[in-house]
Amino acid sequence: MRVLGIESSCDETGVAIYDDERGLVAHALHTQIAMHAEYGGVVPELASRDHVKRVVPLVHRVLDDAKLQFQDLNAVAYTAGPGLIGALLVGAMAARSLAFALNIPAVPVHHMEGHLLAPMLEDNPPKFPFVALLISGGHTLLIHVDRPGSYKILGQSVDDAAGEAFDKSAKLLGIPYPGGPGLEKLASQGDAQAFHFPRPMIDRPNCDFSFAGLKTAVLNAVHASDNLERDKADIAASFTLAVADTLTHKCERALKEMGLNRLVVAGGVSANRTLRSALQDLMVKRGGEAFFARPAFCTDNGAMIALAGMLRFKAGQVGDLGVTVHPRWPLSELKAL
């Protein structure tokens, strides 16, 4: 069976085809980074209009790459939320229309479930159960995953997500949009011990996060610097280490609480090499294993939606003829498979 996946929740249009026997057979992505860079962040109306422009050509492209016809598809999956409502509606309408024309099911997919399952696209997928750390621009979650769809939230950010802290700190340092990759590059040139930034909430007996205070510490360091050009790289490196230490501490606590030694790390921020190295070192120390998606599948993409859609489709969890999207959609509301 083959599922076409469409991702359009924010500023990337992703399309992919997943085969339950062959795995991922084709995927394509258009990013809007260059378009939004002029404004220093995502402009929702521009994002929606660009999705309208890109989605159909990308569908044709992946079909051509896979050497398949529309009639070879068994279902169409799409991101139904969370995300920007206009952007979500573009992908949902495209998927629902295609499914109606082909008389096949349309499968609504939770964006964060797609990220969570993305490491399963790799050659060495994790076995269930495991602890998952989802770190993106809008979410920082620690989750106990018993099986697909069975998610227990162990901890989450009480204010800024880790990705927000990266973006806002990058802006303070004068790094243009998108801030995360630029901050990582700058941090590689700095001394991570030059500034001592707080590791928020690591002394509290829970798995929750808080990054607003860390962002404020960066702001104070920028204002206190008498030579910001000299200190930029050190501030970036010290900030990144503080985030890595905080995430590592909370992951270790969650693993101990659950009695598990498998850690899945997903979401856009999981592409950061300092964070990956710290979490890999944690799992080596524990005699366990960390699982990551390849960098191209850490950020938004159609492959993760096609995979999640295949699992939902095979479980009989498909949508009706209506088009419903969820700009806000708690992961805990999903049905287990």
Side-chain angles (χ1 to χ4, degrees):
M1 291 188 291
R2 303 178 189 91
V3 171
L4 177 80
I6 298 175
E7 155 61 26
S8 68
S9 64
C10 189
D11 58 347
E12 271 100 16
T13 314
V15 180
I17 297 173
Y18 188 86
D19 187 300
D20 64 344
E21 293 184 355
R22 298 165 55 200
L24 183 66
V25 294
H27 65 95
L29 181 76
H30 174 78
T31 180
Q32 302 175 2
I33 285 176
M35 181 178 68
H36 295 297
E38 179 181 353
Y39 305 95
V42 177
V43 181
E45 178 64 19
L46 294 181
S48 301
R49 290 175 180 270
D50 199 64
H51 287 307
V52 172
K53 181 179 178 181
R54 307 292 179 178
V55 64
V56 172
L58 286 176
V59 168
H60 285 285
R61 177 177 161 187
V62 297
L63 285 168
D64 290 343
D65 290 347
K67 296 180 172 56
L68 296 172
Q69 303 295 321
F70 281 109
Q71 291 74 20
D72 296 317
L73 301 174
N74 299 99
V76 184
Y78 63 94
T79 302
L84 301 175
I85 187 166
L88 290 169
L89 281 169
V90 175
M93 288 298 296
R96 181 63 265 178
S97 299
L98 182 56
F100 182 80
L102 296 173
N103 195 28
I104 59 178
V107 185
V109 171
H110 193 291
H111 181 73
M112 298 311 294
E113 180 173 54
H115 276 303
L116 190 153
L117 297 176
M120 293 185 175
L121 293 163
E122 305 305 320
D123 293 335
N124 178 34
K127 295 180 180 179
F128 297 95
F130 54 76
V131 169
L133 173 66
L134 287 182
I135 38 178
S136 68
H139 301 82
T140 304
L141 298 169
L142 270 169
I143 307 163
H144 175 249
V145 181
D146 186 56
R147 63 188 187 280
S150 179
Y151 308 129
K152 178 184 178 183
I153 306 299
L154 304 175
Q156 56 192 316
S157 180
V158 299
D159 41 54
D160 287 358
E164 288 179 282
F166 268 95
D167 290 341
K168 291 175 181 178
S169 295
K171 191 170 185 178
L172 290 170
L173 294 171
I175 299 170
Y177 171 87
L183 191 146
E184 179 180 8
K185 182 178 180 180
L186 182 64
S188 68
Q189 305 165 20
D191 177 6
Q193 305 298 328
F195 291 83
H196 182 72
F197 292 132
R199 275 61 172 164
M201 295 182 69
I202 63 171
D203 57 340
R204 299 190 185 183
N206 57 43
C207 295
D208 289 332
F209 303 92
S210 171
F211 293 104
L214 179 55
K215 175 197 65 182
T216 301
V218 172
L219 173 65
N220 292 337
V222 168
H223 286 169
S225 174
D226 59 1
N227 188 338
L228 187 56
E229 286 302 314
R230 178 198 63 204
D231 294 336
K232 270 185 179 181
D234 290 345
I235 292 173
S238 301
F239 163 80
T240 302
L241 180 61
V243 175
D245 286 349
T246 302
L247 293 174
T248 300
H249 183 91
K250 294 292 186 171
C251 284
E252 185 168 27
R253 177 172 293 164
L255 290 163
K256 288 179 178 178
E257 286 185 6
M258 294 296 103
L260 294 172
N261 235 1
R262 284 186 292 271
L263 177 68
V264 165
V265 188
V269 183
S270 68
N272 183 282
R273 285 170 289 185
T274 299
L275 300 185
R276 284 191 176 225
S277 179
L279 293 169
Q280 285 170 333
D281 289 347
L282 167 67
M283 299 314 294
V284 169
K285 183 184 75 172
R286 291 181 55 84
E289 192 169 3
F291 299 85
F292 301 85
R294 71 195 76 169
F297 290 165
C298 291
T299 52
D300 297 349
N301 63 87
M304 67 183 191
I305 303 304
L307 170 60
M310 175 64 79
L311 295 177
R312 293 279 165 189
F313 171 56
K314 294 179 77 171
Q317 297 183 14
V318 300
D320 55 27
L321 291 177
V323 176
T324 303
V325 295
H326 311 274
R328 297 182 182 274
W329 190 7
L331 195 61
S332 58
E333 290 184 0
L334 293 182
K335 296 179 181 178
L337 301 183

